[in-house]
Amino acid sequence: MTRRVRPFWPVIILAVLLVVPKVGVHLPVLFDGPLNRAGNLQLLAVGFAFGIAALSYNLLFGYTGILSFGHALFFGAGVYLPVIALRHWQWSLGPALLFTLVVTLALAVAVGALALRTQGVYFAMVTLAFAQAGAVVVGKNPGQLTGGEEGLSLPTKNLPTWMVGVIHTGNLYWLTLAALIVVYLLTLRMITSPTGHIWEGIRENERRIEMVGLRPYTYKLVVFVISAVIAAVAGVLYLFLSSGATPASVRSDFTVALLLMVIIGGSGALWGPVAGALLYHYLNVRLTTWAASGTVSALPGVLSRPLADPLFILGIIFVLLVLFFPRGIAGTFVTQRLRASRRVENRAR
Amino acid sequence: MSTLIFITLTGLALAAMYFLLASGLSLIFGLMDVLNFAHGAFFTWGAYAAWWVISMKTPVGGNASTGVFLFAIVAAVVAGAALATGTEVVLLRPLYRRTISQVLVTLGAGLALTELTAVIWKHDAKLFPQPRWMATTLTIAGARVPANRLVLIAVAVLVLAVMLLFLRYTRYGLIVRAGAENREMVQALGIDVNRAFTLVFALGGALAGLGGVFGGAYFKSIDPNIGTVNLIFAFIVVVIGGLGSIGGSALAAAIIGLSQQYANYYAAAWLGDFVVVILLAVVLLVRPRGLLGAQR
């Protein structure tokens, strides 16, 4: 018997992430300029916001086994509702956020209650249809409310000064990181609770949960609403970080991106989706920059043009992951550790 | 009155395009339980293959000759069928019986294949030349309707008839129908279901490619997202019609296409897409297996 030592590397990573805005280290190739440049901080912070969204998606997909194609609807609600309240109705930040929370809750309960009457791929298609309806409304700009294809910029008038301006990117960075940590711990608490075990039970065998005398529908609705609200939180943070709302955050492409983040990271460990989200966002941004750089554009067109298209690369990565690494980074890592520890046990025997 | 006829025919043409996508999706799902997200990419590739053939033989801004257009149709069908067969054999077969993984892999393949058209031909929209007679308007009971709308409807009706005959009177049609009902039993009788899988995929891809050509003619221009946009409506058509039912797909396509056009014209321009989603919600609540879907 060996006592399992609690790994201390999460603490180290956390400490490093916390001091990033204060250190001006240069990491050539990986980041342009010093690490604490506003652009780099924003890159990381958006990665954290996507990490929160990916955590919420994984609660549905990874833990409860529900494949939703409508998650962008709730992320988009988090992006659009505050900016509409702040800009068109001149509300202050507190009421705008409360309004966002209430509307997202109502929307999630309504969509969830309807869509969860179906299962499997039907559920996937129904949620896709609802999200599409949301995207259509945003795109068509009813009553000049959403700004259509142009989107809306975030008015700075009613925001606290510590949030406004490029010089305060560090504050937003810390805010997003703090939110990520809170959501992470909250999710950890939920999945280890009795309800969390029932969610996993639903994923493994829904019929059996029914046989035990529980109603899967209620549990699924709860997880759907919780994950929708967390996605909206991620959306609000994303709004602050990008100082505006664009229709891309409501489109079903974003749900596909979330799915990709979870698949890249793997749902085997809770940190998997967060790692996947960071990697996804980093690649998405950096691939575009690299493609514009001399090294790639000097290549012959057959190579440089596919490399300049992040979606193409991500699609290929997606296929390769599903085929060869279905458990993602976390899954591959965890299995290897399990194998290694088993080897040690066998030797001890 | 003439407006009503115009909108009805436009709605039916839209329905015909949805049907060309949805019939393949529905067959694939009925037999393999796979929701094929790559289907939109087959549509896009059909459209681009046709555009590529036409633009080689047509002066810029001119009309395509009928012969070239027919050749473009063949190219589109071949492109769609080839891509679909490749997807099934290379990507889906290794993931046999892992439905979620299969759905995910088609999603990735759809993304990559769609973006590949953007890599090759850029993101901007391309004008889609068609024969002069297809672009001219005919007067039907006072309504001036572009001929390509009528051609599209005729093609879809023809495809529907051929598909129904294929399913009812051929040996492979029998296997597909039986496989949709009970795959294990068909295998137990010693029939190679894998070949039927490849067949329905190729057939679905061919129909999606065909949809791509006429979609290009209908919209007069194409861009890489043309397939994905229509795929969402095709999904809705498949669910409303009932997964696995060709007749259901045809009926649902007509309902969706018409209600979209009527709502767009008589109410607000963005309401059409919304009405479709509401229809979907109503059908799922009242009749979850779809209009003509079998009890599963």
Side-chain angles (χ1 to χ4, degrees):
Chain A
M1 275 296 283
T2 48
R3 202 171 64 87
R4 215 176 137 227
V5 187
R6 270 190 88 80
F8 59 93
W9 54 266
V11 183
I12 296 180
I13 291 181
L14 200 60
V16 169
L17 287 177
L18 274 172
V19 297
V20 159
K22 289 290 170 203
V23 287
V25 196
H26 283 262
L27 295 172
V29 183
L30 287 177
F31 290 98
D32 287 334
L35 192 55
N36 62 354
R37 223 190 60 172
N40 290 333
L41 289 179
Q42 206 224 11
L43 172 68
L44 286 170
V46 171
F48 298 152
F50 285 170
I52 297 173
L55 271 175
S56 77
Y57 192 74
N58 192 37
L59 215 47
L60 276 183
F61 176 65
Y63 282 94
T64 323
I66 301 175
L67 180 59
S68 162
F69 275 103
H71 219 55
L73 185 63
F74 306 113
F75 183 84
V79 173
Y80 268 96
L81 293 172
V83 74
I84 288 173
L86 287 167
R87 188 177 187 89
H88 294 309
W89 307 329
Q90 313 291 329
W91 291 12
S92 52
L93 188 59
L97 292 182
L98 192 67
F99 165 74
T100 306
L101 180 70
V102 171
V103 174
T104 309
L105 257 176
L107 192 65
V109 170
V111 171
L114 256 171
L116 283 168
R117 286 163 160 263
T118 61
Q119 285 182 334
V121 284
Y122 284 92
F123 179 81
M125 285 190 270
V126 175
T127 45
L128 178 67
F130 277 113
Q132 183 63 18
V136 165
V137 171
V138 167
K140 292 286 161 70
N141 197 12
Q144 310 296 314
L145 214 53
T146 63
E149 290 299 315
E150 312 256 298
L152 289 173
S153 64
L154 185 66
T156 49
K157 205 175 55 184
N158 290 341
L159 293 180
T161 40
W162 62 267
M163 285 176 69
V164 180
V166 182
I167 42 159
H168 291 133
T169 309
N171 294 336
L172 286 176
Y173 172 94
W174 277 316
L175 177 72
T176 318
L177 184 58
L180 176 62
I181 295 166
V182 170
V183 168
Y184 186 92
L185 295 175
L186 208 67
T187 314
L188 189 65
R189 178 74 190 80
M190 281 192 289
I191 58 172
T192 48
S193 73
T195 308
H197 293 310
I198 293 168
W199 291 339
E200 283 187 81
I202 290 173
R203 179 190 67 200
E204 293 304 323
N205 191 335
E206 190 168 342
R207 192 63 64 78
R208 192 169 279 181
I209 295 294
E210 243 171 293
M211 296 293 271
V212 179
L214 299 164
R215 228 176 131 220
Y217 180 84
T218 321
Y219 286 91
K220 288 200 281 189
L221 188 58
V222 168
V223 73
F224 189 85
V225 172
I226 291 175
S227 96
V229 170
I230 297 177
V233 170
V236 171
L237 291 164
Y238 181 71
L239 166 70
F240 293 148
L241 285 166
S242 45
S243 350
T246 49
S249 47
V250 215
R251 287 205 193 110
S252 47
D253 301 21
F254 185 71
T255 309
V256 175
L258 283 177
L259 192 55
L260 193 54
M261 293 170 199
V262 173
I263 305 259
I264 292 176
S267 48
L270 198 53
W271 55 267
V274 181
L278 281 167
L279 192 63
Y280 171 90
H281 182 60
Y282 179 79
L283 283 180
N284 207 357
V285 173
R286 294 298 297 183
L287 281 177
T288 323
T289 326
W290 275 329
S293 74
T295 25
V296 174
S297 53
L299 292 169
V302 188
L303 281 173
S304 71
R305 275 163 72 180
L307 286 175
D309 196 319
L311 275 180
F312 177 70
I313 306 276
L314 288 167
I316 301 271
I317 293 177
F318 199 151
V319 169
L320 294 177
L321 281 171
V322 175
L323 282 177
F324 301 112
F325 302 96
R327 276 167 301 197
I329 302 173
T332 315
F333 190 73
V334 169
T335 337
Q336 262 172 8
R337 213 170 47 193
L338 272 180
R339 255 188 228 141
S341 70
R342 222 171 273 151
R343 226 176 288 140
V344 172
E345 272 170 37
N346 286 344
R347 223 175 284 151
R349 213 175 283 154
Chain B
M1 185 61 200
S2 64
T3 322
L4 182 69
I5 290 173
F6 175 76
I7 292 166
T8 306
L9 284 172
T10 306
L12 284 176
L14 204 57
M17 200 163 57
Y18 294 157
F19 172 73
L20 289 178
L21 261 179
S23 51
L25 275 178
S26 178
L27 269 188
I28 290 169
F29 188 88
L31 189 65
M32 307 171 67
D33 288 336
V34 174
L35 187 62
N36 180 25
F37 274 89
H39 222 71
F42 304 157
F43 186 94
T44 302
W45 270 93
Y48 271 92
W51 171 82
W52 185 65
V53 167
I54 293 173
S55 60
M56 273 196 308
K57 293 279 174 199
T58 309
V60 177
N63 289 315
S65 73
T66 307
V68 168
F69 193 77
L70 285 176
F71 188 62
I73 292 176
V74 175
V77 168
V78 169
L83 278 177
T85 311
T87 305
E88 202 277 324
V89 172
V90 178
L91 299 180
L92 289 178
R93 206 164 275 179
L95 298 172
Y96 185 54
R97 291 206 171 251
R98 283 160 53 196
T99 313
I100 291 281
S101 295
Q102 284 186 327
V103 171
L104 296 179
V105 94
T106 62
L107 191 63
L111 194 64
L113 285 174
T114 301
E115 282 305 310
L116 191 58
T117 58
V119 166
I120 301 175
W121 292 292
K122 306 268 162 61
H123 276 103
D124 52 339
K126 300 267 187 283
L127 277 181
F128 193 91
Q130 50 191 308
R132 184 185 298 273
W133 62 270
M134 269 179 73
T136 51
T137 50
L138 304 174
T139 309
I140 298 167
R144 295 173 53 76
V145 186
N148 57 29
R149 308 268 193 277
L150 304 175
V151 175
L152 186 46
I153 296 169
V155 166
V157 170
L158 191 69
V159 165
L160 174 64
V162 170
M163 291 269 275
L164 288 175
L165 290 175
F166 164 77
L167 287 174
R168 183 146 295 276
Y169 293 110
T170 65
R171 184 180 147 73
Y172 266 105
L174 183 70
I175 294 174
V176 170
R177 275 189 295 143
E181 213 158 281
N182 191 337
R183 192 164 59 198
E184 281 77 16
M185 194 65 206
V186 174
Q187 270 171 312
L189 291 170
I191 287 160
D192 185 2
V193 184
N194 279 345
R195 267 163 68 193
F197 287 175
T198 313
L199 177 83
V200 286
F201 242 86
L203 192 66
L207 292 178
L210 190 64
V213 189
F214 288 101
Y218 178 97
F219 293 118
K220 296 202 193 83
S221 74
I222 57 171
D223 66 71
N225 286 323
I226 190 172
T228 318
V229 170
N230 284 301
L231 183 66
I232 291 176
F233 293 112
F235 277 153
I236 296 175
V237 164
V238 170
V239 176
I240 292 184
L243 286 159
S245 162
I246 294 292
S249 289
L251 180 64
I255 294 174
I256 295 295
L258 287 175
S259 34
Q260 225 176 354
Q261 286 299 317
Y262 288 148
N264 275 343
Y265 186 81
Y266 290 108
W270 54 274
L271 207 69
D273 296 353
F274 216 74
V275 165
V276 167
V277 175
I278 293 167
L279 269 177
L280 175 73
V282 170
V283 167
L284 279 167
L285 288 179
V286 180
R287 202 177 160 87
R289 63 198 159 95
L291 295 177
L292 300 181
Q295 196 86 52
R296 289 178 81 88

